[in-house]
Each structure stands twice: as structure tokens, then as C-alpha cells.
Amino acid sequence: MNVTRTTPPRPFDVAAAFPQLAPLARTATRLHPRPGSPSPYDSSVGGPLLWPSSQPWLYCDKWHEGPVSPLLPVAQLYVRDVPLLRPPGRTDLLQVLWCPSEHPPEYKPTTELFWRTAADVTHVLASPPKPSEVQYGYLPEPCVLAPEQVTEYPNFLELGEGLRQQLSDWSLWKAAGVEIDDRYEAAPQEFYMNELSEAPGWKVGGWAPWGLTDPIARFCINCGAAMNPLLTIASDECRDYRRGWTPHEDQAVAVLDNDPVSNPPGIQVSDANHLQLYVCPTCYTHTDLIQ
Ligand SMILES: [Zn+2]
Ligand SMILES: [Zn+2]
């Protein structure tokens, strides 16, 4: 880790103004991928995986006209960098791969997760097979990470009716003494959405982004448990109306929509959306959803 990114503090403590939010606070780890040359021993997006030369590579056998197609590394996260991962057993490394095209019927890449014990890997696979075709937006540029923990509250769409009404009531914001820009008077909930709820960009844990679809609870196909957000694969980190989340270190360059910090991995998931990975807290089965 040789980069640091620091999210500015939120404009105020929203749970103090709306106490029903307090029990919904969750920690997320923003990953802040930035261009670099990660090694297999680094946490990365689009970097080489710590993959043993003795282990067969993973392939996708769905929806391809020709033979099976090798998967592509998307991210690997060491627990020492992202303690929030809470991996199963003695594993300490999460590897995420995908088949880099939008597969029917849901038109998203197929994803595979691999939980690994780094110390068990003595010989690293030097040249993994590469897919012959990669759809635009699905080849991550190599990035190093600057993990940072932040506190999040649920996406507005995921809140109950009562809290949604409170957050939409300008008089309650004023009564709580919140300094809020008058441009939010007609729809103060947008201030919550933009500045106070969940962080934009690649992240582990926390609350999932919603907007493309209404929130849907995800349940484990093995045990029925509610699944938790694991990793958010994002198409950008710094949309203009969410500039309040831009790290201090990037504010000088984060001026335009196509600035160098808005999307260093160059990923475009289903245009400009998110691929949200979920994991079962007991079986570690995973699922994903375009959001
Ligand atoms: Zn495939
Ligand atoms: Zn389960």
C-alpha cells in the first residue's frame, strides 16, 4: 500500500438528527482503486492473482459459441488490507474473477469467488490463460488500492416508509439545526442520498447501491440466510452530484466528469451501473446483481 485516500467527514451526523437511523449504521471499506503496478502479493483491482501454479485456472462454460473461456481477474483483497472481509476458516485472501461479457438471461458477467490462504501458495502461476474476447467495459486496468473505512447508512430506497417520510420533510431538517443548502428545500432526501447514505465507488461491506431496480433482499440458496453486501464493483467513484465523497487527495483533479479519479479501473458494468456481490455469512455462497 503506497497510496492513501481520505474521505472528508460527512457534513453532519445524520443519526443525531434522525435517531432511527442510528441502528442502521454500517462500516464499509472504500477501496479507492488508483493506477499502479500491483504484484500478486498486493491487494488490487485488475492485478495479477496469487494463484498456485498447481491449481487449474477457472473457465466459463456458459453461453459461449466456441469452447470454454478463461475467467479474468477482477480483484484480490488481502484481509490485512480489508479486515472487514471476515473470510471463512483460516483463509486470508479473497479473489474475484469474471467472464468478461454480458451473459443472458440477465446480461451480466458470470462471477466466481475464491477464498484462499496466502501462505499456502508457494509457486505462483506466472501466465494465466487470457480470454480471447472481452466486452467493452469489462477489462479492469491494473490498480493498487487505498482501503479506507467509512460509516454508511442505507440507500434511501432501502429505508422504511417512516424514515423516508422524515428525510423528505424539510421542516425536520431545519428543526434538527442542520445546515442544509436551500437548493434541497423541495427534496431534502436528495441531500441524504447524495451526501449521507452510502459511499460511491468500489467498496467492501456497508450498504448496497440501488437505483436501477427497487431493493430486493438476497437470500442464500443453501441455508436461506439473508446475504450481506460483499463487494461493490462500480463504474465510477466521483459523479458530480456526489463530489462530497471525493477524497481530499483527489479534490484538485476531480473537476470534470471524465477526470482521472472518477474511474481508474475503466470498468463500465451494464453501461454505468454497479455489479453488487453478496455473500452468505455462514455458507459463503455468493450471488450478484446489477444495481
Ligand atoms: Zn462466459
Ligand atoms: Zn447460506
Side-chain angles (χ1 to χ4, degrees):
M1 294 298 122
N2 52 9
V3 288
T4 300
R5 290 295 180 273
T6 317
T7 301
R10 297 304 79 211
F12 69 97
D13 179 3
V14 69
F18 299 94
Q20 287 175 41
L21 281 172
L24 303 176
R26 280 186 190 170
T27 302
T29 302
R30 303 187 75 189
L31 297 178
H32 302 303
R34 295 294 181 268
S37 305
S39 88
Y41 302 96
D42 296 319
S43 293
S44 65
V45 164
L49 300 185
L50 187 80
W51 193 273
S53 54
S54 58
Q55 183 183 341
W57 193 249
L58 297 180
Y59 291 80
C60 176
D61 57 5
K62 297 191 180 92
W63 312 107
H64 295 276
E65 286 191 5
V68 295
S69 182
L71 299 190
L72 192 69
V74 176
Q76 74 169 8
L77 304 170
Y78 285 88
V79 148
R80 60 165 197 260
D81 299 325
V82 189
L84 205 58
L85 280 173
R86 293 188 202 96
R90 60 186 280 268
T91 63
D92 55 6
L93 172 62
L94 171 64
Q95 297 174 326
V96 181
L97 303 92
W98 68 18
C99 184
S101 61
E102 293 169 1
H103 296 52
E106 293 169 293
Y107 292 93
K108 63 184 183 186
T110 53
T111 55
E112 291 286 346
L113 303 190
F114 211 92
W115 299 93
R116 188 182 292 291
T117 303
D120 290 351
V121 182
T122 46
H123 295 281
V124 179
L125 181 65
S127 309
K130 290 191 164 68
S132 55
E133 281 186 40
V134 179
Q135 190 172 336
Y136 172 78
Y138 289 93
L139 177 64
E141 296 291 329
C143 287
V144 293
L145 307 181
E148 177 204 20
Q149 294 207 347
V150 296
T151 299
E152 293 190 328
Y153 295 94
N155 183 281
F156 183 75
L157 299 173
E158 206 162 356
L159 293 171
E161 181 64 27
L163 262 169
R164 287 210 301 268
Q165 282 180 2
Q166 287 181 30
L167 290 166
S168 306
D169 186 337
W170 176 254
S171 67
L172 292 181
W173 290 84
K174 300 305 276 187
V178 173
E179 294 217 9
I180 172 171
D181 195 315
D182 280 351
R183 71 196 160 99
Y184 285 115
E185 183 169 356
Q189 69 274 23
E190 288 181 9
F191 183 55
Y192 175 79
M193 294 178 203
N194 293 346
E195 303 282 354
L196 304 169
S197 55
E198 25 90 22
W202 292 62
K203 67 186 180 188
V204 167
W207 287 95
W210 294 98
L212 191 67
T213 67
D214 283 339
I216 317 160
R218 313 293 291 172
F219 297 99
C220 174
I221 52 166
N222 285 341
C223 73
M227 299 178 96
N228 297 326
L230 176 65
L231 172 68
T232 307
I233 296 173
S235 300
D236 58 57
E237 179 173 329
C238 299
R239 278 183 203 187
D240 52 356
Y241 58 91
R242 307 201 67 189
R243 276 287 141 70
W245 293 94
T246 303
H248 288 302
E249 294 84 352
D250 296 323
Q251 286 180 0
V253 288
V255 186
L256 304 167
D257 267 353
N258 58 352
D259 65 64
V261 297
S262 64
N263 187 13
I267 290 298
Q268 289 291 326
V269 178
S270 182
D271 293 330
N273 291 296
H274 306 87
L275 186 66
Q276 177 65 47
L277 272 53
Y278 294 85
V279 70
C280 173
T282 42
C283 328
Y284 286 88
T285 48
H286 95 281
T287 184
D288 54 43
L289 187 68
I290 299 235
Q291 295 180 190

